[in-house]
Amino acid sequence: MKLNCSFQDIASALDVKSTCRNEINSVVIDSRKPSRGMDVLFFALKGPNNDGHKYISELIGEGICHFVVNKDFSIGSLTANFISVDDTTAALQKIAGWHRNRFSYPVLAITGSAGKTTVKEWLYSLLKENYNIIRSPKSYNSQVGVPLSLLEMTSSHNLAIIEAGISKPEEMERLEKIILPTYGILTNIGTSHSHNFSSKIVHTEEKYELFKNAQWFIDGAQETVHDDTPKSFKLKDKAAVHNAFLCWSFLNRFDPDRLQSYKTGFSELENLALRLEVQQGINNNIIVNDSYNSDLGGLEIALDLAASQPKKSLVLILSDIDTDQASKSEVYKKVAKITKNYGVTKIIGVGTDIVRLQKHVPSTVVVESVAEVDSNFLSSINDSCILLKGARKFHFEIIGTLLQQKHHDTVLEINLKALEHNLNIFRSKLNGTKIMCMVKAFGYGAGDLEIAKLMEQQGVEALGVAYADEGVALRRAGITLPIMVMNAEPAAFNGIIEYQLDPVIYNERILDSFIREVINYGQTAYPIHLELETGMNRLGVRYNELPDLCTQIISQPEVKVISVFSHLAVSENESEDKFSRNQIDRFQAGAEFIEQMLGYSFTKHICNSAGILRFPEAHMDMVRLGIGVYGIDPTEGQENGFENVGTLKTTITQIRTFVDTETIGYGRSGAANRGERIGIIPIGYADGLKRSLSNGNGFVLVNGKKASIVGKVCMDMTMINLSDIECQEGDEVEVFGPNISIQQLAVKMGTIPYEVLTSISSRVKRTYIKE
């Protein structure tokens, strides 16, 4: 962004006096972002999980000298220019509103429970030939994201398209005041975040608050889709048709004189992959795939994710930047600055305009098309994170295919944004209680490293694993959070100590063995966790064993108890609440006894996911968050608003139409009648699809319709009935995800969601997306 104002202007807008006239061109809220310099203004935001004020001294040392801080922050002897306010988040919003009022061109605001980003991007695609548009990067629609979007407005633009999302009451009123939309679009009203509102009516009224001063708005929650949406629009799913109708309705009112020209653009609209995908690549590379558009606003967001990956170097493969002719020179100059800030070690440019980047980064390798990029071209890139950032017309999927590890067509897609959403729901139930996130069993099948990285970024206090080798792998990948090892075995004690993992002690034998290992390493006060047996009757120290165990700990300076915990056996079952409360009481009594014997305090924790939701009185010092954060609601009858995290999908490999009645598969247990269509999908019991789903007991979804399983599930493939479904080879198949819940599949399999998730084999590719 380029604000073109002074520090004094910012102060005046916030009703604060300042004599500093230094130029301010950019705003930063994240101390990890590499933006530095005399023209940078840092807003020290204070949230539930982090506080930007902690990094001010460090940032001053790195060259930033302009700050907006809370009044309770002690400036002391710090040498910099400060503006002190009551609330830095409110101040950021106020500055964004002030900046928005510097421009008179129209602002379109888009809100709704779903489809906001799609409608925004489709309108951008349709309008960009006639307007110079500033739009929210990706899905920047929060109380912080909206101000950052508005601060991107410049005098070179003539239209702004801003997303606005809410999760709590009164948030929309604050956003409306700073966006001041000229026009609006309400995509729909669904259940997303509705659990935070007292009723559906209140939730609905809050959405409409955005348009109270707009000239007009398109109401997607009320209007019916009409047949006048351009026939050239080729997508047929219900959500896409609805979003296209909203775009057409807006164009009809906003720019009716160009309607005929916009019709052509509808033929080019696609279901956009509005997300960043993280994938394993060849040559020990990590691929961050953002092959959907190539714009300056999205580049920094994508680089931010890529730079967080644990690799030695960062490589950028970038297509021509999507901008007008007059701005191209300035845009590539900005690209050079951004890539330098993020430490990009190599740039490969694809296109004809991107040669301009060589003026600023001479080492940039430029080719005109992806046809010039083959396996030999890419073979020299090793142990790197490779960011693919390209407009769709450049077909970067070809490069993506060359770079990806070869897996079969079955994919487990993990939505990191949904996981973050679920984490925040649990946080809203806690009052400052610390969180340990369980990432054992390969992160419940979702991938332990990727989940651990996200949890570390989100400010979770600790991680939990089952075995030491899981913790060692996380340490080697750069995870620094405390890691508790639930099943600490003597054979793994050396690895536990070398990689600074925290073992769980559950009897005197394990304690004695671990103390001997610590003595060999010459350490003292090594952190350990004690597990109490309160009713699970699994691992754990019993009450009659506590005196001797505590006496041993007191006499051995090599170890120090940092936490005592236990397991709730039936916390999800309301009919067993008496038993659960008895466990809680037994645990508290045992922990108090240990505390008295040891003579010092420690962290206490007993609540799992269900316990967090059902026993708030037992949150204590810390909770252990497991299955709930992965989108599996551990309670019955509660509306908690969790979002689906994992989607297991595959494709139709082959379709056969039978001319006669024939048997199908092993044991001839399946059959197809004359004229029936049977599809083959490349997933079987070796991938986690249980044989109990055989012979019509299970089903998958193809183009939104149920396709029952025919015959027995094989090791590597499964047969499905497609007789009543319009589809073709290569079409996508959902095994579980947004339309078939893991709970539904678990019931069909005769098991529990935990087993469904952890049974998905390692040969199934994990793809990580961030909306």
Side-chain angles (χ1 to χ4, degrees), residues 251-309:
L251 295 171
N252 195 39
R253 296 194 67 174
F254 175 70
D255 200 4
D257 294 340
R258 293 194 179 101
L259 275 185
Q260 291 304 312
S261 65
Y262 291 133
K263 282 186 177 181
T264 304
F266 274 81
S267 66
E268 300 174 1
L269 297 181
E270 299 182 47
N271 271 327
L272 303 175
L274 301 175
R275 63 232 187 155
L276 294 165
E277 298 182 347
V278 182
Q279 304 156 336
Q280 290 297 320
I282 59 172
N283 301 331
N284 199 32
N285 294 314
I286 289 176
I287 314 302
V288 176
N289 198 333
D290 195 19
S291 303
Y292 125 77
N293 71 15
S294 183
D295 66 321
L296 194 62
L299 177 60
E300 191 163 2
I301 295 171
L303 278 170
D304 196 48
L305 177 62
S308 71
Q309 304 304 314

Side-chain angles (χ1 to χ4, degrees), residues 509-524:
R509 178 183 64 86
I510 292 296
L511 175 61
D512 183 67
S513 296
F514 187 69
I515 288 173
R516 292 176 186 274
E517 194 69 34
V518 175
I519 291 172
N520 290 336
Y521 277 83
Q523 295 194 27
T524 58

Side-chain angles (χ1 to χ4, degrees), residues 241-469:
V241 172
H242 178 74
N243 292 334
F245 166 71
L246 295 176
C247 292
W248 182 249
S249 299
F250 175 80
L251 295 171
N252 195 39
R253 296 194 67 174
F254 175 70
D255 200 4
D257 294 340
R258 293 194 179 101
L259 275 185
Q260 291 304 312
S261 65
Y262 291 133
K263 282 186 177 181
T264 304
F266 274 81
S267 66
E268 300 174 1
L269 297 181
E270 299 182 47
N271 271 327
L272 303 175
L274 301 175
R275 63 232 187 155
L276 294 165
E277 298 182 347
V278 182
Q279 304 156 336
Q280 290 297 320
I282 59 172
N283 301 331
N284 199 32
N285 294 314
I286 289 176
I287 314 302
V288 176
N289 198 333
D290 195 19
S291 303
Y292 125 77
N293 71 15
S294 183
D295 66 321
L296 194 62
L299 177 60
E300 191 163 2
I301 295 171
L303 278 170
D304 196 48
L305 177 62
S308 71
Q309 304 304 314
K311 288 297 177 184
K312 291 184 292 187
S313 59
L314 179 56
V315 176
L316 172 63
I317 303 181
L318 179 69
S319 76
D320 287 348
I321 295 291
D322 191 5
T323 188
D324 60 277
Q325 189 68 31
S327 305
K328 286 181 179 178
S329 295
E330 184 65 23
V331 162
Y332 287 106
K333 183 179 179 181
K334 290 180 180 178
V335 170
K337 181 179 180 181
I338 292 170
T339 54
K340 180 181 179 181
N341 286 342
Y342 277 96
V344 175
T345 54
K346 184 174 184 177
I347 302 175
I348 299 172
V350 180
T352 54
D353 290 335
I354 203 166
V355 69
R356 298 168 186 260
L357 185 58
Q358 287 181 323
K359 176 181 178 182
H360 310 286
V361 187
S363 60
T364 302
V365 177
V366 176
V367 296
E368 288 194 6
S369 71
V370 296
E372 299 177 53
V373 181
D374 56 21
S375 297
N376 292 329
F377 188 93
L378 300 169
S379 61
S380 63
I381 306 175
N382 299 280
D383 298 307
S384 301
C385 178
I386 305 173
L387 170 60
L388 297 178
K389 180 69 177 167
R392 279 185 175 269
K393 65 181 180 181
F394 286 93
H395 301 290
F396 267 31
E397 64 272 13
I398 297 173
I399 302 177
T401 300
L402 292 173
L403 288 170
Q404 286 181 39
Q405 286 182 351
K406 298 301 182 282
H407 296 260
H408 62 70
D409 289 338
T410 301
V411 175
L412 178 61
E413 186 177 86
I414 308 298
N415 189 329
L416 297 177
K417 195 69 175 178
L419 198 143
E420 182 182 326
H421 167 84
N422 296 338
L423 172 65
N424 288 330
I425 287 180
F426 279 100
R427 273 205 170 115
S428 71
K429 311 291 184 183
L430 304 171
N431 186 21
T433 301
K434 293 185 289 186
I435 295 175
M436 174 185 290
C437 183
M438 306 307 294
V439 292
K440 59 183 180 177
F442 195 51
Y444 290 67
D448 50 359
L449 175 57
E450 287 73 15
I451 306 304
K453 285 189 296 187
L454 179 66
M455 292 298 130
E456 196 164 54
Q457 292 166 4
Q458 292 298 311
V460 165
E461 285 79 9
L463 301 173
V465 298
Y467 296 101
D469 56 353

Side-chain angles (χ1 to χ4, degrees), residues 660-675:
D660 293 303
T661 298
E662 295 185 48
T663 59
I664 295 174
Y666 288 115
R668 302 184 68 195
S669 61
N673 297 319
R674 182 175 181 177

Side-chain angles (χ1 to χ4, degrees), residues 42-195:
F42 181 79
F43 275 78
L45 303 187
K46 190 172 184 178
N49 310 311
N50 210 347
D51 184 353
H53 296 82
K54 295 190 300 185
Y55 309 103
I56 288 177
S57 295
E58 177 185 337
L59 291 172
I60 291 175
E62 294 178 4
I64 294 181
C65 56
H66 302 97
F67 298 89
V68 177
V69 298
N70 282 343
K71 286 182 177 177
D72 59 2
F73 173 71
S74 177
I75 296 172
S77 60
L78 294 175
T79 305
N81 298 300
F82 291 94
I83 297 173
S84 297
V85 296
D86 293 326
D87 182 340
T88 48
T89 300
L92 176 66
Q93 293 175 346
K94 190 171 184 178
I95 288 300
W98 166 78
H99 183 69
R100 181 261 182 267
N101 273 308
R102 299 168 78 189
F103 309 101
S104 59
Y105 51 80
V107 175
L108 166 63
I110 304 175
T111 193
S113 299
K116 298 184 293 294
T117 308
T118 295
V119 171
K120 177 197 71 184
E121 294 298 330
W122 280 359
L123 283 174
Y124 171 78
S125 178
L126 292 163
L127 289 162
K128 67 181 181 181
E129 297 301 321
N130 298 314
Y131 295 89
N132 190 8
I133 304 169
I134 169 61
R135 70 197 193 281
S136 302
K138 292 293 181 181
S139 51
Y140 268 33
N141 57 37
S142 67
Q143 297 291 300
V144 172
V146 169
L148 294 177
S149 300
L150 291 170
L151 289 170
E152 296 287 343
M153 295 174 69
T154 72
S155 58
S156 66
H157 300 109
N158 54 17
L159 175 63
I161 306 178
I162 304 295
E163 280 189 55
I166 57 170
S167 58
K168 297 177 182 177
E170 300 181 4
E171 287 186 338
M172 193 64 87
E173 182 180 4
R174 292 194 288 272
L175 295 183
E176 190 277 335
K177 287 180 179 178
I178 63 175
I179 299 174
L180 294 177
T182 319
Y183 317 114
I185 295 177
L186 175 65
T187 59
N188 52 38
I189 296 177
T191 58
S192 179
H193 300 298
S194 60
H195 60 283

